[in-house]
Amino acid sequence: MKTLLKSAAFICLTLLVLSCSTEKKIELFNGQDLDNWNIIVDSEIVEPDDLFYVEDGVMNTIGVPFGYIRTKESYSNYALHLEWRWTEEPSNSGVLINVQGKEMIFPHCIECQLMDGKAGDIVLMGKGAAITIKDSTYMVSSEQNRYLVIPKFEESSEKPAGEWNSYDITSKDGNLEVIVNGVLQNIASDMSLTEGNIALQSEGAPLQFRNIYLQPL
């Protein structure tokens, strides 16, 4: 019965996304500058503007050191779309949604994984982060062990380095849907974090992003 209800929830989420008016689309990245983002860097060696920068209409990160770029605005109930590609040997990154609290390097949030071969995994980050997937509830119970990974449903649907991938992430009333290149990789409910900032990680290798926007639901 729970599986049936979750399937129905997935259909409802999909219909909500399809019914969104393009007039409501919020461009998070305009292809020109990073004025509506904050950059957080885990080092004094690299300046924030060197870690993330815009070139030829796309957002770039050099990947080292660790850090992330975070929207200045907070969002809830949305369908997020973005595209990414590795420009060298693929490594690690992530899309952080419903980011809470202070600007620490690994903040309290829900992560939709971008590690090579793992896009579609969900990572709970920070004490109290919780989610329900396939009738199982997962929760981070302490700051000492503040990361919990829930694997994606299918084999990797990612494209090779140099080719653009798409991520479609829907967060609606505590429900989460994660689609990689058109493949449903995760669906969840009862998210403990339902609103917050959106962030993109620098975590290992050069990476590019484009077409970053969301539609309120």
Side-chain angles (χ1 to χ4, degrees), residues 63-144:
V64 177
F66 286 174
Y68 61 90
I69 188 167
R70 176 173 174 171
T71 60
K72 293 178 179 179
E73 297 294 326
S74 179
Y75 302 97
S76 63
N77 293 340
Y78 55 81
L80 171 67
H81 174 87
L82 62 89
E83 297 166 17
W84 86 94
R85 70 176 176 184
W86 299 99
T87 58
E88 297 180 9
E89 185 71 22
S91 182
N92 198 1
S93 182
V95 180
L96 312 182
I97 64 169
N98 304 333
V99 180
Q100 304 286 310
K102 61 183 180 180
E103 294 179 341
M104 56 193 297
I105 292 301
F106 295 99
H108 189 38
C109 65
I110 305 292
E111 177 184 353
C112 296
Q113 183 65 270
L114 278 180
M115 179 186 293
D116 182 41
K118 301 292 185 180
D121 284 7
I122 292 173
V123 183
L124 305 180
M125 199 178 297
K127 183 179 178 180
I131 206 164
T132 299
I133 298 176
K134 289 186 174 179
D135 300 333
S136 295
T137 297
Y138 304 86
M139 184 176 69
V140 177
S141 57
S142 73
E143 277 298 308
Q144 288 69 37

Side-chain angles (χ1 to χ4, degrees), residues 2 5-6 9 13 77 97-98 109-110 122 124 128-140 150 170-177 187-195:
K2 289 184 178 179
L5 289 174
K6 288 182 178 179
L13 280 173
N77 293 340
I97 64 169
N98 304 333
C109 65
I110 305 292
I122 292 173
L124 305 180
I131 206 164
T132 299
I133 298 176
K134 289 186 174 179
D135 300 333
S136 295
T137 297
Y138 304 86
M139 184 176 69
V140 177
I150 304 105
T170 302
S171 174
K172 171 68 173 173
D173 294 335
N175 297 304
L176 179 65
E177 174 188 280
I187 186 166
S189 61
D190 302 322
M191 277 194 298
S192 59
L193 305 175
T194 58
E195 63 179 310

